[in-house]
Amino acid sequence: MADTITITDNRTGKQYDLPIEHETIRGIDLRKIKVKDDDFGLMVYDPAFMNTASVKSKITFIDGDKGILRYRGYPIEQLAEKCTSFLEVAYLVLKGELPNRPQLDRFRSNIKHHTFVHENIKKLMEAFRYDAHPMGMFISTIAALSTFYPEAKNIFDEADRQKHIHRLIAKVPTIAAFAYRHSKGLPYIYPDNDLTYAGNFLTMMFRMSSEQFKVNPVLEHALTVLFILHADHEQNCSANTMRSIGSSYVDPYSATAGAAAALWGPLHGGANEAVIHMLDEIGSIDKVPGFIKDVKEGKGSRLMGFGHRVYKNYDPRAKVIKKLAYEVFEVTGKNPKLDIALELERIALEDEYFVKRKLYPNVDFYSGLIYQAMGFPLDFFPVLFAIPRTAGWLTQWEEHILDQEQKIARPRQIFLGSGERDWLPIEKRK
Ligand code: ACO
């Protein structure tokens, strides 16, 4: 059988054979389908890209029906269990292979070389209001980095590009920690390059004057796992934003700032914060059934941390995080909201409304509980997501700009507005 599809246009009776490759037809092939020669040709209307593949990618694989997530072929469960550092996974995502020892050492040293920020970046951050949202500070500061590295616009210079990728991965924890210290009115702590990626970040966040400060190894490990789980997630809203902005060939700092802005929304990386607010609003286990009833009847909010555009099964990251939560609570004490979350999950997984719509816990359902128990404020949660995802965004960006099939991202529209009409003087307008 041929790998083609035959489409009959019932308006004209004409038939068109279109090639099928990777279970996909090319949108542009539909443009041949016309009634008159001077017609524009058929387009696809696909709001929110529900059924449109916009890229060919070799980075991350998701099978949403089976609940599978792999980076470069490696199951997320194995990476979360076996990798001892975030940079090992960042290397894998970026380069396509797990690093051997010398490769990892070199990568680590490249990253460590760039962890400090220019003192003017510090001054820039000091200018924010005391109550500025840390994600707003984070996004603006990442964007400001482009002014410090004007050569970053040379995106097709391989050596330059790698330097900017290393620099961004290195600096995001520093900028994130400075944003937190700023909001607390605490002095900024400079990076300690003898520590791991997660350990250094926790130290910049929480070290007070004591020279003895030592990160708890269980919490350091938990944050490493959380960073690994969040490193990439194929063509989600922020990755698509990164690619779309990057397709104009702007520098990677500006594109990363845009991707981080996309992540901030409550339907994307802001959901873990929304989960905590929801658990607070529910307040106690006995209120769970009433809350679920309200969700189903469309009164109030959705069940935050549930549902996913791609996963129609349990998000594999949520499974790892749920287990991790118990390890963290051994150290921090149990987050009292855990029982409400468990009851919500139990009821929702049995409820016909959620079962029918294949709504399962996503990565955000339990991650907020861990972050909160570790002492991170709620408004800092999206920043915690953005730190590891920077590696994923940069990988998606690099794949995109080097892909010969890609062009500047530019969808079409179906225009439904007014036809041509004549300008009216203001006195004659209704
Ligand atoms: N609670 C209740 N009902 C829901 C939920 C939810 N969390 N999610 C989806 N539904 C319902 C919708 O109302 C809709 O029902 P209907 O068919 O009767 O109208 C149906 O399920 C399909 O929902 P859509 O909105 O069409 O699904 P979509 O793929 O567009 O949305 C999304 C995915 C945005 C994640 C959605 O499930 C949601 O809003 N979840 C809550 C927010 C959240 O947890 N976001 C984090 C996602 S993970 C991440 O970004 C890291």
Side-chain angles (χ1 to χ4, degrees):
M1 299 288 275
D3 276 340
T4 60
I5 185 165
T6 303
I7 297 179
T8 306
D9 185 347
N10 293 324
R11 299 169 303 175
T12 59
K14 277 197 215 153
Q15 288 200 323
Y16 302 82
D17 283 337
L18 306 185
I20 298 176
E21 198 192 3
H22 309 300
E23 292 292 294
T24 313
I25 59 165
R26 285 185 177 252
I28 197 77
D29 285 346
L30 296 173
R31 288 269 285 276
K32 296 178 211 155
I33 303 179
K34 300 178 176 191
V35 175
K36 292 189 261 90
D37 282 349
D38 59 351
D39 279 353
F40 184 76
L42 213 60
M43 292 192 298
V44 175
Y45 176 56
D46 189 13
F49 302 121
M50 297 287 284
N51 195 37
T52 294
S54 59
V55 300
K56 289 178 181 165
S57 181
K58 295 184 173 165
I59 306 165
T60 294
F61 173 79
I62 300 175
D63 182 329
D65 290 330
K66 297 201 181 101
I68 292 173
L69 168 62
R70 298 182 199 131
Y71 300 158
R72 303 287 190 177
Y74 294 98
I76 193 67
E77 295 84 352
Q78 283 186 30
L79 296 171
E81 192 192 326
K82 312 254 192 234
C83 288
T84 49
S85 83
F86 170 70
L87 289 183
E88 194 180 344
V89 174
Y91 183 101
L92 168 71
V93 171
L94 270 165
K95 314 264 182 204
E97 295 297 336
L98 281 167
N100 59 27
R101 178 62 58 199
Q103 285 168 331
L104 181 57
D105 289 346
R106 204 163 43 247
F107 184 61
R108 202 171 263 151
S109 133
N110 283 336
I111 300 292
K112 289 188 170 178
H113 189 74
H114 291 291
T115 49
F116 281 70
V117 291
H118 194 290
E119 281 295 291
N120 285 355
I121 282 285
K122 205 181 98 184
K123 288 190 196 134
L124 183 127
M125 295 190 76
E126 279 165 357
F128 284 105
R129 270 176 58 129
Y130 69 95
D131 59 351
H133 195 292
M135 194 62 173
M137 282 193 254
F138 181 84
I139 293 167
S140 323
T141 310
I142 299 294
L145 285 179
S146 73
T147 66
F148 287 76
Y149 309 109
E151 76 285 4
K153 63 182 184 311
N154 303 328
I155 56 170
F156 293 109
D157 181 306
E158 165 71 14
D160 260 357
R161 197 171 62 244
Q162 294 316 315
K163 193 164 69 188
H164 298 299
I165 289 175
H166 295 152
R167 192 177 266 150
L168 265 160
I169 293 174
K171 290 193 194 316
V172 284
T174 314
I175 291 168
F178 282 14
Y180 169 77
R181 305 286 295 200
H182 180 81
S183 59
K184 292 277 167 215
L186 294 168
Y188 302 172
I189 303 283
Y190 288 117
D192 179 343
N193 286 330
D194 290 333
L195 302 176
T196 65
Y197 193 80
N200 169 49
F201 170 63
L202 286 171
T203 306
M204 289 189 290
M205 289 286 296
F206 298 124
R207 199 180 72 151
M208 297 306 283
S209 57
S210 160
E211 288 301 315
Q212 303 306 317
F213 181 87
K214 203 168 172 332
V215 173
N216 183 303
V218 175
L219 303 186
E220 184 176 351
H221 168 255
L223 194 64
T224 298
V225 172
L226 285 160
F227 279 177
I228 290 171
L229 297 178
H230 286 88
D232 192 52
H233 210 233
E234 55 116 306
Q235 305 314 312
N236 53 77
C237 176
S238 55
N240 179 57
T241 304
M242 183 82 187
R243 284 180 178 261
S244 194
I245 298 179
S247 76
S248 74
Y249 294 167
V250 73
D251 69 87
Y253 301 98
S254 304
T256 303
L263 183 74
W264 193 2
L267 297 188
H268 191 9
N272 48 17
E273 182 181 345
V275 169
I276 301 293
H277 287 305
M278 175 186 75
L279 296 175
D280 276 336
E281 190 193 316
I282 297 172
S284 58
I285 293 190
D286 55 306
K287 305 260 171 51
V288 168
F291 180 82
I292 296 265
K293 187 166 166 281
D294 286 352
V295 168
K296 292 193 309 189
E297 289 171 3
K299 296 184 201 153
S301 95
R302 286 183 161 193
L303 178 50
M304 298 312 284
F306 255 68
H308 200 275
R309 172 60 58 77
V310 180
Y311 292 117
K312 300 302 166 199
N313 200 325
Y314 213 101
D315 181 335
R317 301 168 299 174
K319 272 192 196 147
V320 178
I321 292 179
K322 191 173 171 185
K323 213 166 119 229
L324 197 64
Y326 289 98
E327 289 170 31
V328 170
F329 297 159
E330 284 284 311
V331 176
T332 60
K334 193 171 90 177
N335 188 325
K337 297 180 194 65
L338 176 69
D339 291 334
I340 304 175
L342 288 170
E343 182 65 359
L344 267 178
E345 182 189 338
R346 190 188 66 76
I347 296 188
L349 291 182
E350 285 175 356
D351 190 293
E352 205 227 323
Y353 174 95
F354 295 90
V355 173
K356 202 171 105 201
R357 290 169 179 76
K358 300 191 176 163
L359 301 170
Y360 291 87
N362 60 48
V363 67
D364 291 317
F365 194 65
Y366 287 105
S367 62
L369 291 174
I370 302 186
Y371 292 146
Q372 196 177 37
M374 286 174 79
F376 294 110
L378 290 198
D379 59 4
F380 200 71
F381 291 1
V383 182
L384 290 166
F385 195 153
I387 295 170
R389 186 54 63 84
T390 298
W393 289 329
L394 290 164
T395 313
Q396 300 281 346
W397 166 74
E398 191 174 38
E399 189 179 67
H400 199 90
I401 58 167
L402 297 181
D403 182 343
Q404 299 295 319
E405 283 196 317
Q406 290 295 342
K407 289 174 181 284
I408 187 163
R410 202 334 182 162
R412 294 277 173 182
Q413 65 170 4
I414 301 171
F415 180 70
L416 299 176
S418 305
E420 187 178 350
R421 46 190 176 157
D422 285 328
W423 182 87
L424 281 177
I426 197 159
E427 314 75 60
K428 295 206 170 154
R429 295 176 206 162
K430 282 191 205 142

